[in-house]
Amino acid sequence: MTEETETRAQGVAGIRDVVSIRLPAASAYLSVLRTATAGLAARLDFTLDEIEDLRIAVDEACAMLLNEAVPGTDLTAEFELTGQEMQVRVEVATVGSSAPKRDDFAWMVLTALADDVDAVTDSADRMAIVLRKRRGAAQSTAGPA
């Protein structure tokens, strides 16, 4: 996103940026995804705490998916930046896996760090986790100090 694109995105409703990353489905590459997450969140002026929450949430979502991933396949991540919100969808190829368990500790971590979390299984051989984080959401829900 250039400065010109950023200005148009902030000034016109409905403009969005989408960044896609494809990596080998191996934990050795997650640092690349964490760095991309932090950089993109910084473009939206997220606070340092919000950026760190997103980095941890993306890392946790990927760790959950890598447990189900077919060896030798790719993990794809799509970041959608819209105004004050970032949506991150991470996805892997699986072999007949069901959606992640929503009652385990990893899922609780995800729901604590992101504003919205969902598991998506569009087909029997794909699994995705979608996270949404809004800038300033924790401050607006926390109330006055």
Side-chain angles (χ1 to χ4, degrees):
M1 177 161 54
T2 65
E3 289 181 27
E4 179 181 331
T5 306
E6 181 180 5
T7 302
R8 279 188 282 126
Q10 291 174 353
V12 180
I15 299 292
R16 67 184 180 96
D17 288 325
V18 177
V19 177
S20 298
I21 300 175
R22 179 178 301 243
L23 304 164
S27 60
Y29 293 94
L30 293 185
S31 62
V32 173
L33 211 50
R34 288 191 302 268
T35 301
T37 300
L40 293 169
R43 302 272 310 155
L44 293 178
D45 292 326
F46 278 38
T47 67
L48 291 176
D49 286 341
E50 291 167 337
I51 292 170
E52 190 60 23
D53 286 351
L54 257 176
R55 282 177 38 131
I56 295 168
V58 167
D59 191 59
E60 193 65 40
C62 290
M64 291 174 71
L65 292 175
L66 289 180
N67 287 333
E68 305 295 331
V70 174
T73 59
D74 291 334
L75 178 143
T76 58
E78 183 176 277
F79 299 85
E80 183 177 332
L81 290 69
T82 54
Q84 298 187 16
E85 181 177 276
M86 182 189 301
Q87 175 178 292
V88 183
R89 178 187 174 108
V90 288
E91 184 172 349
V92 295
T94 62
V95 178
S97 297
S98 60
K101 296 177 184 169
R102 294 174 186 251
D103 61 348
D104 69 357
F105 181 72
W107 191 263
M108 287 188 284
V109 169
L110 284 179
T111 58
L113 296 173
D115 297 325
D116 298 304
V117 181
D118 196 15
V120 180
T121 50
D122 295 331
S123 67
D125 62 344
R126 304 288 302 168
M127 182 187 304
I129 295 177
V130 180
L131 310 168
R132 287 177 204 81
K133 183 83 171 167
R134 286 173 288 285
R135 185 177 67 214
Q139 296 166 344
S140 63
T141 59

